[in-house]
Amino acid sequence: MNANSGRNETVENGNLMRLGETREIAIYLRGGVAWVADFRGGRGDLFTARDWFALNGRASLLRRAGLTSITPLPADVIGRIERLHGEENRAPLVAPGVSLRDLLARFRHELSCRAPTGALGPHAQRN
């Protein structure tokens, strides 16, 4: 995902949204690219902002969060983000797997949004 991994890039500025006790979303710039770090529990995932918004229903989650939960990025979160980018730079062979995972997630989301109305679910289908 990081096309400029050879440069010395750092988190330039951004905001943190707390969406509960176990979920945080950081939106920030790094190397001129808008990124989202999505922290769930003890795990963090990196996305370009475009990919994250596409996968997460055009940010309906953020609209529900409200403005009171938005703060500037604290130093500890910036450190977690930099570690995630460092892991990405050390594992270039993982990137195709991450891209495939993201593509499959988008495909699954598109399918769930296009289910025909009135269709029976797998448990309710008649023989």
Side-chain angles (χ1 to χ4, degrees):
M1 280 187 227
N2 189 354
N4 302 314
S5 60
R7 288 193 240 158
N8 185 16
E9 298 174 345
T10 59
V11 173
E12 296 169 19
N13 61 41
N15 290 296
L16 179 71
M17 284 141 279
R18 296 187 195 279
L19 303 174
E21 292 183 28
T22 61
R23 182 129 188 234
E24 298 172 315
I25 306 294
I27 301 176
Y28 57 95
L29 291 175
R30 186 173 192 268
V33 176
W35 289 90
V36 174
D38 192 340
F39 297 103
R40 293 177 188 227
R43 179 187 160 126
D45 292 308
L46 291 176
F47 300 90
T48 62
R50 185 188 84 171
D51 290 342
W52 188 88
F53 281 92
L55 289 170
N56 287 280
R58 298 187 186 106
S60 62
L61 179 68
L62 298 181
R63 285 191 294 277
R64 289 191 310 259
L67 295 176
T68 59
S69 64
I70 300 173
T71 61
L73 286 175
D76 68 311
V77 174
I78 292 173
R80 289 171 24 201
I81 291 168
E82 292 296 350
R83 283 191 295 278
L84 285 173
H85 281 284
E87 292 169 7
E88 178 183 78
N89 291 338
R90 285 190 301 274
L93 296 178
V94 174
V98 171
S99 297
L100 180 60
R101 179 199 68 201
D102 293 347
L103 178 66
L104 290 173
R106 273 182 278 192
F107 180 68
R108 185 182 72 215
H109 176 72
E110 286 295 319
L111 286 178
S112 68
C113 291
R114 294 181 184 186
T117 57
L120 297 175
H123 300 293
Q125 290 180 350
R126 296 181 187 134
N127 292 333

